[in-house]
Amino acid sequence: MRTFLVVGGLVLLCGCATSVEKMSATHYWEPTSSNTSQREYNQDNVGCETSSGVDGAAGIVAEAPSFESYRACMIERGYSLQTF
């Protein structure tokens, strides 16, 4: 019984130690035209990610070397970076 409790405690401890903290977004891209659809935004975003080498799935880090290229691409396509 004691072994069971020790193993259970270790499993719980390991689970807590490996949990990932969720970070919430602080910025978003706003189109300068009110006629921009979600589909158009998605296409522009993916195009800019691809051309600049940014991995949006992993999260876009402003300090990353490719972020400035991504930012310039989004601005060129008619978006402005806003904060929440």
Side-chain angles (χ1 to χ4, degrees), residues 42-82:
N42 291 342
Q43 289 175 338
D44 289 338
N45 185 52
V46 168
C48 288
E49 286 179 358
T50 302
S51 68
S52 65
V54 167
D55 183 9
I60 300 171
V61 180
E63 293 80 25
S66 55
F67 177 76
E68 190 55 39
S69 175
Y70 169 77
R71 181 180 166 279
C73 179
M74 288 296 283
I75 290 171
E76 183 179 302
R77 292 184 185 216
Y79 299 88
S80 63
L81 190 58
Q82 305 292 317

Side-chain angles (χ1 to χ4, degrees), residues 9-21:
L10 288 173
V11 168
L12 181 62
L13 181 64
C14 290
C16 293
T18 60
S19 65
V20 177
E21 182 179 329

Side-chain angles (χ1 to χ4, degrees), residues 17-33:
T18 60
S19 65
V20 177
E21 182 179 329
K22 296 278 185 182
M23 295 182 68
S24 60
T26 59
H27 294 76
Y28 67 98
W29 289 103
E30 183 161 316
T32 53
S33 169

